Amino acid sequence: MRVPNSVYGGMFSVGVISLGALFFGVTSSNAQPANPALAVPNVEELSVVTNSMPSSCLIKSQKGDKLSMHYDGRLADGTPFDSSRKRGTPFSFTVGTGQVIKGWDQGLLDMCPGESRTLTIPPALGYGARGAGGVIPGGATLVFDVELVDIKGRKKGKEEL
């Protein structure tokens, strides 16, 4: 599906997105109810929490790398809106180039393959006042549990830890 950048407030600079990229087949009518155990407060700044690290790290993500990620996305109240894990296919994109929301471009740098993080993304680094896809309301704080599956096209060198 070709969507002009202006529809998403310029968050996607590539101009071509598949609603499967971050909203595969999800509509507000099939979103599950909020889970209070997963709720987080709204935030003003990006929060990055490392949940697990591999025992060794031979390569870390940097701007311009093509990343392959698994993720589960939810609103601050715990309502899920998308998951690559449920589809069984990692999401691939080039980090730091505007192909994804700013919170991902910033929160996925210096990450090792096999590492998992939780990103809590304020609206200004997500979809802003407009929201997206009829699933993410305007002004929404987003929470993503992410796992870096692979950094494509870079050779592993000395351990970077």
Side-chain angles (χ1 to χ4, degrees):
M1 167 184 273
R2 182 150 182 84
V3 180
N5 289 340
S6 61
V7 171
Y8 293 99
M11 294 294 179
F12 294 97
S13 67
V14 293
V16 177
I17 64 166
S18 160
L19 288 184
L22 288 180
F23 312 107
F24 186 84
V26 178
T27 64
S28 57
S29 63
N30 67 7
Q32 298 298 313
N35 180 346
L38 297 176
V40 298
N42 285 327
V43 296
E44 298 296 321
E45 294 183 11
L46 175 65
S47 167
V48 179
V49 175
T50 300
N51 300 318
S52 67
M53 289 282 294
S55 57
S56 73
C57 181
L58 301 178
I59 187 172
K60 289 186 179 182
S61 61
Q62 58 189 10
K63 185 177 178 177
D65 283 339
K66 183 159 186 166
L67 306 184
S68 178
M69 306 289 306
H70 265 307
Y71 66 90
D72 295 301
R74 64 184 184 273
L75 301 177
D77 70 0
T79 303
F81 59 83
D82 192 23
S83 173
S84 69
R85 287 183 181 95
K86 286 185 180 178
R87 287 191 301 280
T89 304
F91 173 61
S92 295
F93 65 99
T94 303
V95 69
T97 62
Q99 291 182 359
V100 292
I101 59 175
K102 291 178 183 178
W104 272 40
D105 270 345
Q106 295 174 19
L108 301 178
L109 296 175
D110 295 319
M111 196 169 179
C112 302
E115 181 178 342
S116 67
R117 294 179 177 177
T118 299
L119 307 178
T120 304
I121 302 173
L125 298 178
Y127 295 100
R130 290 188 170 174
V135 176
I136 299 174
T141 293
L142 308 174
V143 181
F144 287 94
D145 294 313
V146 297
E147 176 188 358
L148 179 54
V149 176
D150 191 20
I151 300 173
K152 299 179 183 253
R154 277 190 46 214
K155 295 182 180 179
K156 296 176 182 173
K158 295 179 182 178
E159 190 162 332
E160 294 187 22
L161 274 179

